[in-house]
Structures are given as structure tokens and as C-alpha cells.
Amino acid sequence: MRTQTKLSPADLRHFEGLLLEERRDLDVALGRITHTLDDVIEARNNGTADDEHDPEGPTLTMEWSRISGVHSEFEAKAATIDRALARIIDGSYGLCVRGGEPIGRARLEARPAAELCIDCARDAEARLRA
């Protein structure tokens, strides 16, 4: 059901620029969080840190869990951006991956990596809540 996007070449360049900028920023954030995660893992494996009895703050296990969750979110967002960039290349960017309908420009401006039109996004959100 997918057809070619109705976005102009200038529109596609605009959104590609937004996506590439977002991806670069995300790569920087991923690098920082990976370094932090590595530090926490090293501290957990060190064996000399007795953080389980520290009443002042979170344990290393709690920090590892929190940071690894953020890391996973960043990786998922990076994959979403990469899929959007691939859709620009294959000519399907700006079309809902579910229904093939155009994704509104306002939605793409707010979420350049959007894969779903607003109706499909609302439906998916409602299903998650149910």
C-alpha cells in the first residue's frame, strides 16, 4: 500500500537535516551515557564498593538499572531515526508505515522520525493503554 512521498525534494532535504542533527546529538548523548554505564559496571564489579549500606544515595545496582534504561531508550530512538533516514532514501518518508497515508507536515516538524500518521499513532497509544 506504500506509495511515493508527496514531499518535495526541498522538504526531504529539510527533514533529512533535522534527522541528521538529531542523530548527531543523540550520538553524543549515547557516548556520554555509555561511558557512565561503563563506570558503574566497573564499580559494581570492583568488589570494594559497599554501596548497599550507603544510606545517602542510590546503590550501584539502582544506578546501573537507571542508566541502562536510559541507554536503551537512546538506542531505540537512534534506530527510529535511522529508519526515517532510510525511508527518505527509498522514497517512503512522510507516509504512515501502517496505513500508507501521508503524515502531516506539522507532525513531521514536531517529530521528524514519526513513522505513523496521527490517527494511527492515537490508535497505537489507545491499544497500549488497554
Side-chain angles (χ1 to χ4, degrees), residues 4-43:
Q4 289 294 102
T5 185
K6 294 187 181 198
L7 295 170
S8 72
D11 290 333
L12 291 173
R13 284 191 304 275
H14 167 73
F15 288 115
E16 182 180 33
L18 293 177
L19 288 162
L20 289 171
E21 181 179 345
E22 192 173 345
R23 187 64 162 96
R24 281 189 297 272
D25 292 345
L26 192 56
D27 285 343
V28 170
L30 260 168
R32 288 182 184 141
I33 198 86
T34 298
H35 179 72
T36 303
L37 184 59
D38 290 345
D39 288 347
V40 170
I41 289 170
E42 183 179 330

Side-chain angles (χ1 to χ4, degrees), residues 27-74:
D27 285 343
V28 170
L30 260 168
R32 288 182 184 141
I33 198 86
T34 298
H35 179 72
T36 303
L37 184 59
D38 290 345
D39 288 347
V40 170
I41 289 170
E42 183 179 330
R44 281 183 71 209
N45 293 333
N46 186 350
T48 60
D50 185 19
D51 73 321
E52 300 297 327
H53 298 97
D54 181 5
E56 297 299 316
T59 65
L60 288 174
T61 300
M62 288 172 54
E63 274 301 289
W64 172 81
S65 180
R66 182 187 68 78
I67 294 168
S68 64
V70 171
H71 187 271
S72 294
E73 288 176 27
F74 285 175

